[in-house]
Amino acid sequence: MAEKHAILVTGAAGFIGFHLSRKLCSLGYAVTGIDNLNDYYEVSLKEARLGILKNTEGFSFHKLDITDKKAIDSLFEKSKFKYVVNLAAQAGVRYSLTNPYAYLESNLHGFLNILEACRHNKVEHLVYASSSSVYGANKTMPFSVHHNVDHPISLYAATKKSNELMAHTYSALFNLPTTGLRFFTVYGPYGRPDMALFIFTKAILEGKPIEVYNHGKMKRDFTYVDDIVEGIVRLIPTVPKGEKSWNGATPDAASSFAPYRLYNIGNNSPVELMHFIEVIEDKLGKKAVKNLLPIQEGDVPETYADVEALTEAVGFKPSTSIETGIGNFISWYKEYYKK
């Protein structure tokens, strides 16, 4: 990279934000990271990620909440970002059943602040995290960005679908190029403690039973974090343009007359939860005590990503096997927690 492009990563102390920020720094970007370091899960893990980032050349950090419009506007005016990657959000499907207002505040109000700041500061491309959860009640597999997604089954999913709609509005009204990324069950080292891999690993090592929903028949398109990061990195300079062939009489959901695109980033290979657990057991050398339960409210039984649009756009699709990915996670977990 001839010049150091200024890029903002929101949610930089988060799981994906941490890995993305490190990769961008290694590629020569000047990365500004922001995070509010909230306590949705253990803050010490966020601080550990941040400790590594703060020792990374090309990275600077501001403790900021994207819901703080004044602080966000001030940062954008000073920093002149070329690109913005918005990963800051209230995450988790189940938490939205008990704390709905947290989702509206961060995922809608916060995202609006980012859109407004991008619009007024001539950002060249906003890339933002959506989620595979937007597919909701859809049954056609694999999930395609060309499918209609109007039947979410969790408030979290509804806020992510809302982000896509808000982004389209800004692309259409203000010619702001936006790209939405629907992530499929991301896992890997420094992962989130509220995710299955983390919960199962911890419980198995401690000899405690694990809760296996839908009697283990759930299928997830588990996607290794390095694959997610590679997809994002390739898409950042791939600035969308309006599609001249786009037709409102037969609208394509993944593109637009405006500079707006949507992509799935998933492994394109769904794995049954019971097999996922078997791989963890194998890597740990220890069997799990399983408590089989019915499916939870807000959960979908299966996710499966069609990544054809991503492959066409940037010549890449995720391919890390769960055996490799889980092995890497467990090696990290044992070292980090001294197990």
Side-chain angles (χ1 to χ4, degrees), residues 86-291:
N86 185 64
L87 301 174
Q90 178 55 61
V93 168
R94 289 165 198 157
Y95 190 69
S96 69
L97 301 176
T98 51
N99 294 276
Y101 288 96
Y103 290 78
L104 296 189
E105 190 65 17
S106 182
N107 301 7
L108 298 185
H109 179 189
F111 189 59
L112 179 61
N113 289 341
I114 296 295
L115 283 167
E116 277 286 287
C118 288
R119 168 199 170 192
H120 289 294
N121 291 278
K122 303 290 183 277
V123 167
E124 289 185 23
H125 190 194
L126 167 63
V127 178
Y128 62 94
S130 183
S131 167
S132 60
S133 66
V134 300
Y135 289 104
N138 286 23
K139 289 285 190 284
T140 303
M141 297 284 170
F143 292 145
S144 168
V145 286
H146 304 293
H147 294 163
N148 178 289
V149 288
D150 284 338
H151 298 88
I153 56 172
S154 69
L155 184 67
Y156 170 68
T159 63
K160 288 301 189 177
K161 164 73 173 173
S162 300
N163 285 170
E164 296 176 2
L165 296 173
M166 292 162 75
H168 185 269
T169 305
Y170 274 68
S171 295
L173 285 176
F174 308 116
N175 205 37
L176 171 66
T178 65
T179 295
L181 307 178
R182 294 174 178 169
F183 298 144
F184 281 71
T185 318
V186 191
Y187 74 100
Y190 284 93
R192 277 174 29 204
D194 63 323
M195 299 292 278
L197 177 55
F198 206 111
I199 292 167
F200 291 166
T201 299
K202 184 174 189 288
I204 294 168
L205 283 171
E206 292 173 359
K208 293 177 180 173
I210 60 171
E211 296 185 335
V212 182
Y213 291 100
N214 203 24
H215 304 280
K217 292 185 175 65
M218 310 281 271
K219 281 190 171 180
R220 287 289 178 269
D221 209 347
F222 294 102
T223 312
Y224 191 61
V225 67
D226 288 0
D227 285 336
I228 292 281
V229 166
E230 183 64 28
I232 300 171
V233 164
R234 291 189 186 211
L235 284 166
I236 287 166
T238 309
V239 182
K241 296 180 172 64
E243 296 280 341
K244 289 189 173 68
S245 60
W246 194 88
N247 183 353
T250 54
D252 169 33
S255 61
S256 175
F257 59 89
Y260 166 91
R261 289 302 298 263
L262 292 171
Y263 297 99
N264 287 333
I265 305 189
N267 212 44
N268 192 228
S269 177
V271 173
E272 192 165 274
L273 186 58
M274 211 54 101
H275 177 59
F276 188 71
I277 294 165
E278 285 166 4
V279 176
I280 300 170
E281 290 174 327
D282 179 57
K283 298 294 180 184
L284 287 173
K286 191 173 181 184
K287 288 288 182 190
V289 181
K290 302 176 191 77
N291 182 13

Side-chain angles (χ1 to χ4, degrees), residues 299-320:
D299 263 354
V300 295
E302 183 175 358
T303 66
Y304 178 8
D306 177 338
V307 293
E308 191 180 340
L310 177 70
T311 308
E312 281 178 13
V314 294
F316 170 76
K317 71 175 188 177
S319 61
T320 305

